[in-house]
Amino acid sequence: MSGLKLVSTGAAIPAEVVTNEDLTRRVDTSDEWIVSRTGIRSRRWCGEGESHTSLCLAAARQAMEQAGIGPEEIGVCLVATFTGDRMTPGAATILQGKLGLREDTVCFDLNAACAGFIYAVHTASRLLPVNGRRYGLVLGAEVLTRVTDFDDRSTCVLFGDGAGAAVVEWGEDYPDPCTVMGCQARDEVLCVPGIHTGEENVIRMDGQAVFRFAVEALPRCVEEVLAKAGVGPEAVDRFVFHQANQRIIDLAVRKLKLPVEKCAGNIDHTGNTSAASIPLLLDELVSAGQLKQGQRALCVGFGAGLTWAGALLELR
Ligand code: ACO
């Protein structure tokens, strides 16, 4: 059976830390409300000289350096995002030029919102055997402050900017990531309208509807990935969940009776970074030695669409 392993990770976050206290000077909110309802204490927002491209480039370079591979070895470069610097060309093609990837490298962006990184890893696992080179560069990157309504207290406190990257390797004897994916067409629940609609191009969200969807989709995805892999939760070393709201994660962990210490996240200092959320957390875990060679992470993302995706990734 052929499949994929995670080789290395990289991350880039903006320099500016925005605390809950900072937000109380913009909208009618409080540190107590934000922490108790979401688990978020601070997030990073892009400032001058920072961009989607600069974050992607820094995260990608770090992951490639950690993997010890050169640009000529990459066969596929995918960026999961909906907030790139340009509408077209995509962030992946910009990376191709800046990183010096070969011209026959398959480079494109993919929009599956907060589930996008897993969609991209799965897509890489299917494209690499066709391309013929073993390594793929997969990113989740967002500058959500571009589509944030800073007057809407129910959304502006939630989001942060950042980019996470991973080098993945396809191998004939590597494990299948056991990906599960799906979506429900429900743009009335969560939507960024786009520039040609006449509407303001900012995130509009029915938070409670997303919450209800997430507390059902997250545990279901975990169970489906485990069933596909034919293993129980004890075979998983880390559960890496999209960092949207600590209460969503706590409810899922309780429902599945997972060991809390295997489900630690980083939402307190990142906020919700959409497609960047899972690779940023993977990078934190790898950097801290909490996800080691040979260990397995069960990742689940969910977001606008409404989309969801889960996969079991082994660190080479
Ligand atoms: N500070 C203070 N009060 C607030 C704030 C705030 N920042 N935001 C909302 N409130 C108020 C509301 O106005 C409301 O007041 P009211 O009762 O007087 O009307 C009250 O708090 C309760 O509001 P709710 O919306 O019921 O708050 P809830 O507990 O549901 O929390 C939240 C809102 C955090 C948005 C939650 O619903 C959530 O996390 N939903 C999931 C969001 C998500 O996961 N999105 C992921 C996808 S994002 C993407 O794909 C880009």
Side-chain angles (χ1 to χ4, degrees), residues 28-29 33 37-38 82 113-114 153-154 157-159 190 203 205 207-208 210-211 242 244-245 247-248 272 274 302-304:
D28 180 14
T29 190
W33 191 95
R37 299 290 180 117
T38 71
F82 64 91
C114 309
R153 67 175 181 174
S154 67
V157 302
L158 303 175
F159 300 114
L190 180 50
I203 298 173
M205 181 172 77
Q208 289 191 5
V210 179
F211 196 97
H242 170 46
N245 185 322
R247 285 190 297 145
I248 294 173
N272 179 348
S274 189
F302 50 87

